[in-house]
Amino acid sequence: MNLQVSLGESITLAARNEPDRAAFLFPDGREQTFAETNARVNRLVSALREEGVGRGDRLAVFALDSNRFVEVVLAATKIGAVYVPLNYRLRRSEIDVLLDRARPVALFYDVRYAELLEGIAERHESVRLLLALDERPGEQRSEYERLLDGGSTAEPPVVASDGDVIGLAYTSGTTGLPKGVLQSQRMMKAIIAEQVIEYRLRPGEVRYTAAPAFHITGICSLLAGIARGATSLVVPQFDPRVTLDHLTADRLTAVFLVPTMISTLLRLDDVHHHEYERLELMYYGASAMSPALLRRAMDTFKCDFLNAFGAGTEAGLQAVMGPEDHRRAIDGHPELLGSIGKPAYGVAMRIVDGDLKDVPPGEVGEIATRSDMIFDGYLDMPEETERATRDGWFRAGDMGYFDENGYLYLHGRKKDMIVRGGENVYPIEIESVLAEHPAVVQSAAVGVPDEHWSEIVRAWVQVVPGSQVTEAELVAHCAERLAKYKVPAQFRLVDALPVNASGKVLKRELREID
């Protein structure tokens, strides 16, 4: 077997190079060094092997973000096992479906979910090891910590090669049921390297990523910090107060947030009372950011901004609009604020039609990419795999176009396109217009059946708390900027929109609401 430097060795190398530097910073001020983390991971590897866990076995995690979550992932990569991150927002019936498909030998979970998971080992015969990561009430040490007590800190041999599948992640299900995505060591290493390059990660930095660890953006950001010798702030779940406290204390050099999180921070009373002298970069993704929100954020935090776009679970990072382009946009090229940049490092990108032929600049087509970050297929779904990939090119159903200068502009998802009386309506056009209204936090345009037009546009709009905006105002706002057939026929004003872990609106759920 041809062995490369394994993903699990990243913590080994970090512990050798910077043993006393903090790998993790916690909200209460505690730290865990690279040396401590590597020793804990090795003890977990040793203990799991004593329990019969070996290469190719699957280890599921159902938990909030923590150092223990990351340790399980690193231990799996050192064993050559496959980690299976599960969305902690799932209902029990959904968890059972995913475990039936994944058949893990172990399930690590947070005590807060004990009642939800009651009887899980009896329901799933594959689960031989069920371990709580944190302490139950009255416990001094958790089951997880007691397991580590019996392990050895000796460095295990390298067993995983780049062709091995080391991750089994489930898609977010924004347009259908989740699919199991097979992620190789090659893919994961490429995503981490891409983040180091494109997110300009340097040793010694202190960064916070608000994407959860069960999402590929979240876990790869934590692993990139380890690989690069940087410190990661680990918060169980995004908390705007905790985030702002660390920003105003000048602890963070960079943060990753989705636009709704940035909007939430900007509504905190004391956000404008600080200079944020240590903050260098705020990078965002998952959904579009309105030009108005972006300008407010740039004026407040006075740092560089970077927009990241990608079909992360299956294809990693695909496009980036870096700080230089954000500055150009503010300095006289506002049209760039509607772009998601250019193809990321090492990514070949095309815009294709239904026959997979290239379309000219300015014409909308489907985004197709080829890179080392492409997944190895869907679990037990060969037809779905073949549909998404052809000759190494991956298509997630995202629509867009290149302008004459090579900048990429999104036009929504292929499955989201609305056909009104024979006219194609791209939801992102409507959502971009609504984003310009000061009372709008976020919006989602969906098609609903109509006897005359076949489909009409319904806009779901999350409004600023306390706003008195009316449907008539929003109709007038859209009518000034959109063709008549694109103006939503219906509006639903709400306090919040359903989103997945990466901040993307779940339009499938909105379509099911009458």
Side-chain angles (χ1 to χ4, degrees), residues 31-65:
E31 297 181 349
Q32 181 173 302
T33 68
F34 286 115
E36 290 169 337
T37 303
N38 189 52
R40 288 171 59 83
V41 170
N42 288 346
R43 294 210 307 269
L44 180 56
V45 169
S46 172
L48 288 174
R49 282 181 168 159
E50 286 294 317
E51 294 287 342
V53 177
R55 194 167 183 227
D57 284 335
R58 293 172 182 166
L59 312 179
V61 188
F62 190 80
L64 302 180
D65 291 7

Side-chain angles (χ1 to χ4, degrees), residues 228-257:
R228 194 62 174 137
T231 301
S232 296
L233 171 66
V234 179
V235 182
Q237 290 176 291
F238 171 70
D239 183 319
R241 186 71 261 168
V242 170
T243 303
L244 186 59
D245 285 348
H246 280 78
L247 286 169
T248 56
D250 290 326
R251 295 191 185 100
L252 299 176
T253 57
V255 291
F256 172 86
L257 303 166

Side-chain angles (χ1 to χ4, degrees), residues 437-497:
H437 195 287
V440 174
V441 176
Q442 188 173 212
S443 68
V446 299
V448 295
D450 181 79
E451 186 175 338
H452 179 70
W453 295 107
S454 178
E455 280 188 304
I456 57 173
V457 180
R458 174 184 292 166
W460 291 82
V461 182
Q462 177 182 347
V463 296
V464 173
S467 170
Q468 301 300 313
V469 67
T470 65
E471 180 176 334
E473 288 179 58
L474 294 177
V475 169
H477 175 81
C478 291
E480 290 177 359
R481 296 163 175 82
L482 292 169
K484 186 175 181 180
Y485 71 90
K486 297 179 183 178
V487 176
Q490 301 174 359
F491 282 85
R492 298 287 190 272
L493 276 56
V494 295
D495 294 329
L497 294 173

